[in-house]
Amino acid sequence: MHDPNCIFCKIAAGQIPSKKVYEDEDLYAFHDIAPWAPVHFLIIPKQHIASMAQVGAQHEALLGRIMALAPRLALEQGCNPYPEGGFRIVVNTGAEGGQEVQHLHVHVMGGPRPWLKG
Ligand code: 5GP
Ligand code: ZN
């Protein structure tokens, strides 16, 4: 369930400090260390899943919980309301997908433009 060499497993377990946005039994959310946008946080499963490429039917509920949590946390963290505001959800997957950390994470970005990237 946990990879001892995985930085996001360690963050979810509190072994590496992070700025927590949300936590429950299955999920952990925290501010990205190098934000692209005024609001930029990551939602991860506490369980080690390397990427979206490993996601299957057994993960439907977990992924559904992440996606349903994102809009609530986005507003709580300062994203402006839809439709003038909104947010961007990104899941980089694999080397060609631009994934740098090999533990599934959902980027949630928002806030007033311009952003650093994207
Ligand atoms: P990826 O490129 O894999 O989709 O995104 C990894 C993200 O994790 C990057 O935006 C990067 O800034 C963030 N990140 C990497 N290491 C750490 C860390 O130790 N703490 C936090 N809070 N974010 C990290
Ligand atoms: Zn991990």
Side-chain angles (χ1 to χ4, degrees):
M1 289 291 263
H2 299 268
D3 179 338
N5 299 313
C6 172
I7 185 172
F8 282 3
C9 280
K10 288 180 183 162
I11 284 177
Q15 293 161 359
I16 291 178
S18 65
K19 283 166 73 183
K20 180 160 88 174
V21 164
Y22 175 85
E23 181 172 16
D24 65 31
E25 200 182 328
D26 304 313
L27 305 179
Y28 189 78
F30 57 106
H31 290 280
D32 196 292
I33 206 165
W36 295 9
V39 177
H40 186 176
F41 61 90
L42 307 173
I43 309 176
I44 64 173
K46 287 187 171 176
Q47 161 189 0
H48 182 82
I49 303 169
S51 81
M52 275 302 292
Q54 284 73 35
V55 164
Q58 71 275 29
H59 301 117
E60 280 174 6
L62 188 66
L63 270 286
R65 291 208 50 232
I66 292 174
M67 295 308 267
L69 182 63
R72 189 188 114 196
L73 296 185
L75 284 178
E76 285 178 12
Q77 292 304 312
C79 291
N80 293 310
Y82 175 92
E84 291 81 10
F87 51 85
R88 176 178 291 177
I89 287 177
V90 172
V91 188
N92 297 324
T93 305
E96 293 181 347
Q99 184 181 4
E100 290 174 0
V101 176
Q102 307 307 312
H103 179 128
L104 176 64
H105 51 282
V106 173
H107 293 259
V108 182
M109 287 164 278
R113 300 280 180 164
W115 294 358
L116 206 59
K117 287 197 246 178

Coordinates of all heavy atoms in Angstrom, one line a residue, residues 32-40 88 109-118:
D32 N 1.0 22.7 -3.5 CA 2.2 22.4 -4.3 C 3.4 23.3 -3.8 O 3.2 24.5 -3.6 CB 1.9 22.6 -5.8 CG 2.9 21.9 -6.7 OD1 4.1 22.4 -6.7 OD2 2.6 21.0 -7.4
I33 N 4.6 22.7 -3.8 CA 5.7 23.4 -3.3 C 6.2 24.5 -4.3 O 6.9 25.5 -3.9 CB 6.9 22.4 -3.0 CG1 7.8 23.0 -1.9 CG2 7.6 22.0 -4.2 CD1 8.8 22.0 -1.3
A34 N 5.8 24.3 -5.6 CA 6.2 25.3 -6.6 C 5.0 25.6 -7.4 O 4.8 25.2 -8.6 CB 7.3 24.7 -7.5
P35 N 4.1 26.5 -6.9 CA 2.8 26.7 -7.5 C 2.9 27.4 -8.8 O 3.7 28.3 -9.0 CB 2.0 27.6 -6.5 CG 3.1 28.2 -5.6 CD 4.3 27.2 -5.6
W36 N 2.0 27.0 -9.8 CA 1.9 27.6 -11.1 C 0.9 28.7 -11.1 O 0.8 29.5 -12.0 CB 1.4 26.6 -12.1 CG 2.3 25.5 -12.4 CD1 3.4 25.1 -11.8 CD2 2.1 24.6 -13.5 NE1 3.9 24.0 -12.4 CE2 3.1 23.6 -13.4 CE3 1.1 24.4 -14.5 CZ2 3.2 22.5 -14.3 CZ3 1.1 23.4 -15.4 CH2 2.2 22.5 -15.3
A37 N 0.0 28.7 -10.1 CA -1.2 29.6 -10.1 C -1.4 30.1 -8.7 O -0.8 29.5 -7.7 CB -2.4 28.8 -10.6
P38 N -2.2 31.2 -8.5 CA -2.4 31.7 -7.1 C -2.9 30.6 -6.2 O -2.6 30.6 -5.0 CB -3.5 32.8 -7.3 CG -3.3 33.2 -8.7 CD -2.8 32.0 -9.5
V39 N -3.8 29.7 -6.7 CA -4.2 28.5 -5.9 C -3.6 27.3 -6.6 O -3.8 27.1 -7.8 CB -5.7 28.4 -5.8 CG1 -6.1 27.1 -5.1 CG2 -6.3 29.6 -5.2
H40 N -2.8 26.5 -6.0 CA -2.3 25.2 -6.6 C -2.1 24.2 -5.5 O -1.1 24.3 -4.7 CB -1.0 25.5 -7.3 CG -0.5 24.4 -8.1 ND1 0.6 24.5 -8.9 CD2 -0.9 23.1 -8.2 CE1 0.9 23.3 -9.5 NE2 0.0 22.4 -9.1
R88 N -8.6 24.5 -12.8 CA -8.1 23.5 -13.8 C -7.6 22.3 -13.0 O -6.9 22.4 -12.0 CB -6.9 24.1 -14.6 CG -6.3 23.1 -15.5 CD -5.2 23.7 -16.3 NE -5.7 24.7 -17.3 CZ -4.9 25.5 -18.1 NH1 -3.6 25.4 -18.0 NH2 -5.5 26.3 -18.9
M109 N -5.7 23.8 -9.8 CA -5.1 25.2 -10.0 C -6.2 26.2 -10.3 O -7.1 25.9 -11.0 CB -4.1 25.2 -11.1 CG -2.8 24.4 -10.8 SD -1.9 24.1 -12.3 CE -2.7 22.6 -12.8
G110 N -6.0 27.4 -9.7 CA -7.0 28.4 -10.0 C -6.6 29.7 -9.5 O -5.4 29.9 -9.1
G111 N -7.5 30.7 -9.5 CA -7.2 32.0 -9.0 C -7.0 33.0 -10.2 O -6.9 32.5 -11.3
P112 N -6.9 34.3 -9.9 CA -6.9 35.3 -11.0 C -5.7 35.1 -11.9 O -4.6 34.7 -11.4 CB -6.8 36.6 -10.2 CG -7.2 36.3 -8.8 CD -6.9 34.9 -8.5
R113 N -5.9 35.4 -13.2 CA -4.8 35.4 -14.2 C -4.0 36.7 -14.1 O -4.6 37.7 -13.6 CB -5.4 35.2 -15.6 CG -6.2 33.9 -15.8 CD -5.3 32.8 -16.0 NE -6.0 31.5 -16.2 CZ -5.4 30.4 -16.8 NH1 -4.2 30.5 -17.2 NH2 -6.1 29.3 -16.9
P114 N -2.7 36.7 -14.5 CA -2.0 35.6 -15.2 C -1.4 34.5 -14.2 O -1.2 34.9 -13.0 CB -0.9 36.3 -15.9 CG -0.6 37.5 -15.0 CD -1.9 37.9 -14.4
W115 N -1.2 33.3 -14.7 CA -0.6 32.3 -13.9 C 0.9 32.2 -14.4 O 1.2 32.7 -15.5 CB -1.2 30.9 -14.2 CG -2.6 30.8 -13.6 CD1 -3.3 31.8 -13.0 CD2 -3.5 29.7 -13.8 NE1 -4.6 31.3 -12.7 CE2 -4.7 30.1 -13.1 CE3 -3.4 28.5 -14.3 CZ2 -5.8 29.2 -13.1 CZ3 -4.4 27.6 -14.3 CH2 -5.6 27.9 -13.6
L116 N 1.7 31.6 -13.6 CA 3.1 31.4 -13.9 C 3.2 30.5 -15.2 O 4.1 30.7 -16.1 CB 3.8 30.7 -12.8 CG 5.3 31.0 -12.6 CD1 5.6 32.4 -12.5 CD2 5.8 30.2 -11.4
K117 N 2.4 29.5 -15.3 CA 2.4 28.5 -16.4 C 0.9 28.2 -16.7 O 0.1 28.2 -15.8 CB 3.1 27.2 -16.1 CG 4.6 27.3 -16.0 CD 5.2 25.9 -16.1 CE 5.9 25.5 -14.8 NZ 6.5 24.2 -14.8
G118 N 0.7 27.8 -18.0 CA -0.6 27.2 -18.3 C -1.7 28.2 -18.6 O -1.7 29.4 -18.2

